[in-house]
Each structure stands twice: as structure tokens, then as C-alpha cells.
Amino acid sequence: MSLIDTGWAAWLPFELTAALDALSGGSPARRSFRQLLASERDEASRERWERFRLVAPSRVDVPIDGDGLDEAGCYALLEALGLVAGNPPRPVQPEAVELVLTLDEEERRELDGLRSARDIGSVSTPADALPSLEASFGGGEVGRNDPCPCGSGQKFKRCHGR
């Protein structure tokens, strides 16, 4: 779905993503969209609709459930979100929309779990993994035929040994 970013796509109900696909797709996409609207909604669709209601901007009047939603209702919601415009509806470049989440305790824990799974952890090295300050590196005599310590790859006698 190139019309909207993956962040929005994760929150849109299946009916609205199918409506967007129907606009940019051919007759198979439109047929699939109509079949989705006519079919009985499963539990995943109901949960996604409820999640969408929680994050939808307050300026958008979202129905309590998606039962009985028709093509015109889908396109009206998409137009209120700023994703389509005109008659017949055409995709538009979406504007940035601020999402405000209202989560209960269980949803907050789930979100924290997702965030912690993305956390790369601490990037600092533990102190005992660092070399001691008393350790000396290099500093010894460099032989004429040894590689030059400057890192040029040449022998010392041809680089800094002159």
C-alpha cells in the first residue's frame, strides 16, 4: 500500500484499507472490496475497528462499529481522514495527523512489550570489558622491515623510517 505509510495502515480497519486498494486497483480490487463489505465481520475485524476508533482524530465521526458500512461510508471516512478527495473519490497525498492513544492497563503493557522488543539495549561497554589504563600498546621499537605504524601498509624503512 503505497498511498499511506505503514503506521497509518496498521490502524486502519480492513474495510478502509480495501477501499484504498479499490481506488488504485482494477476491477478485482473493487470486487474484493465489495465482497468484504458484504461478508460477516470476524473477531479480528472487530478488534481492529475498535482500535481504529481509539486512535482516530477527534474531528472524524467514526461509527461505533463497522457493521452495515457501505462504500459511501468508507469513502466518507477516508475523506475525513484526508486520504481521498473528490467525487468520485481519488487518493490524495496524506497530511501528517497526530494520533492520541487512550489505552487501558492491558493495552499499555502490550505496547510497552512491543517497545522493549525494539529496544537495542545499552550501547555502552561495561568497565571490566575495557582495557586497563596501565596496559601499553605498541610503543616498542619498530624494525626496518616491519609494517609502518601509520597504517600505510608500506614497510617502515620506505615510509616513516627515512
Side-chain angles (χ1 to χ4, degrees), residues 31-78:
R31 185 178 324 109
S32 167
F33 170 52
R34 290 184 185 115
Q35 288 173 346
L36 179 66
L37 290 177
S39 68
E40 188 67 30
R41 298 177 70 228
D42 60 353
E43 189 61 32
S45 289
R46 292 180 195 286
E47 287 177 15
R48 193 159 171 156
W49 186 268
E50 185 61 32
R51 194 173 47 209
F52 172 67
R53 284 189 56 237
L54 291 173
V55 300
S58 59
R59 63 182 167 80
V60 178
D61 186 26
V62 180
I64 292 176
D65 60 15
D67 294 334
L69 196 63
D70 59 353
E71 281 186 61
C74 287
Y75 291 128
L77 277 172
L78 290 172

Side-chain angles (χ1 to χ4, degrees), residues 1-143:
M1 174 175 306
S2 62
L3 177 66
I4 56 177
D5 67 1
T6 56
W8 255 114
W11 295 103
L12 284 177
F14 297 125
E15 295 86 357
L16 298 184
T17 55
L20 285 172
D21 289 341
L23 288 177
S24 57
S27 61
R30 289 190 299 274
R31 185 178 324 109
S32 167
F33 170 52
R34 290 184 185 115
Q35 288 173 346
L36 179 66
L37 290 177
S39 68
E40 188 67 30
R41 298 177 70 228
D42 60 353
E43 189 61 32
S45 289
R46 292 180 195 286
E47 287 177 15
R48 193 159 171 156
W49 186 268
E50 185 61 32
R51 194 173 47 209
F52 172 67
R53 284 189 56 237
L54 291 173
V55 300
S58 59
R59 63 182 167 80
V60 178
D61 186 26
V62 180
I64 292 176
D65 60 15
D67 294 334
L69 196 63
D70 59 353
E71 281 186 61
C74 287
Y75 291 128
L77 277 172
L78 290 172
E79 188 169 2
L81 291 170
L83 298 175
V84 299
N87 193 7
R90 295 286 176 236
V92 296
Q93 192 64 26
E95 62 185 53
V97 177
E98 181 179 341
L99 298 178
V100 179
L101 296 176
T102 308
L103 303 174
D104 63 10
E105 185 64 26
E106 182 180 325
E107 290 169 330
R108 189 190 59 76
R109 274 185 273 147
E110 182 181 342
L111 184 60
D112 287 343
L114 290 173
R115 286 182 179 156
S116 66
R118 288 190 315 205
D119 187 18
I120 60 171
S122 177
V123 291
S124 63
T125 306
D128 37 337
L130 295 173
S132 91
L133 296 176
E134 288 80 35
S136 62
F137 298 99
E141 286 293 316
V142 178

